Amino acid sequence: MTWSGQMLIEIVVAVGIISLVLVGVSDLMIRSSRLTTFQRQKAEAFTISQRLLNNYRVQRDSNPQAFYDNAGGSVLDPCVSGKTYVCIVSMEKSAEAVLVTVKVEWGDGGQTFDVSLSQSLSKEIR
């Protein structure tokens, strides 16, 4: 009889150890999934900000004087239709250039994250 009681304790301890290992593995998988999702969203936000900066660069290249005259202020843009990204484009005009800053924000898990890129676009193209 003592053997069957001892075996039962061994089984309970083994099940407890296995369950602890499985909880640890599942926690690791959840964290890995969240990190992968965050990195994908960050890469997409970075691509959006680069595309917007390129659009402003093309506008400047096609008509530098009109671009410089109309530059200034901030624009709130939905960035991509159907996505959760919000773009904030601000332009600060100086004597010879326009500083264009593109900030792309998104929410994930109750927190707001952002990526920001800036470039100074000169009035004259040389």
Side-chain angles (χ1 to χ4, degrees):
M1 285 224 181
T2 59
W3 288 104
S4 64
Q6 188 178 9
M7 237 174 138
L8 181 62
I9 291 174
E10 289 174 354
I11 291 173
V12 168
V13 169
V15 168
I17 291 172
I18 290 172
S19 65
L20 284 175
V21 169
L22 289 177
V23 166
V25 169
S26 67
D27 183 51
L28 181 64
M29 289 173 49
I30 289 170
R31 287 176 189 240
S32 175
S33 173
R34 285 183 185 160
L35 182 62
T36 301
T37 301
F38 172 76
Q39 290 298 333
R40 183 179 37 79
Q41 291 171 332
K42 184 177 178 182
E44 190 172 359
F46 188 76
T47 302
I48 291 168
S49 60
Q50 283 180 323
R51 188 187 70 228
L52 285 172
L53 270 179
N54 283 338
N55 289 345
Y56 283 105
R57 204 174 302 119
V58 167
Q59 289 176 17
R60 189 270 322 255
D61 291 348
S62 64
N63 192 344
Q65 189 61 43
F67 175 78
Y68 184 78
D69 291 341
N70 296 328
S74 273
V75 177
L76 183 64
D77 188 18
C79 295
V80 180
S81 61
K83 297 281 185 169
T84 59
Y85 299 100
V86 175
C87 293
I88 302 166
V89 180
S90 62
M91 292 189 230
E92 298 175 24
K93 188 169 23 173
S94 67
E96 292 297 320
V98 175
L99 178 65
V100 179
T101 303
V102 177
K103 184 177 180 181
V104 180
E105 296 180 342
W106 73 97
D108 186 24
Q111 293 180 320
T112 302
F113 300 100
D114 65 75
V115 170
S116 183
L117 292 178
S118 296
Q119 185 171 16
S120 181
L121 300 176
S122 63
K123 186 174 180 180
E124 285 187 34
I125 302 173
R126 299 174 190 185

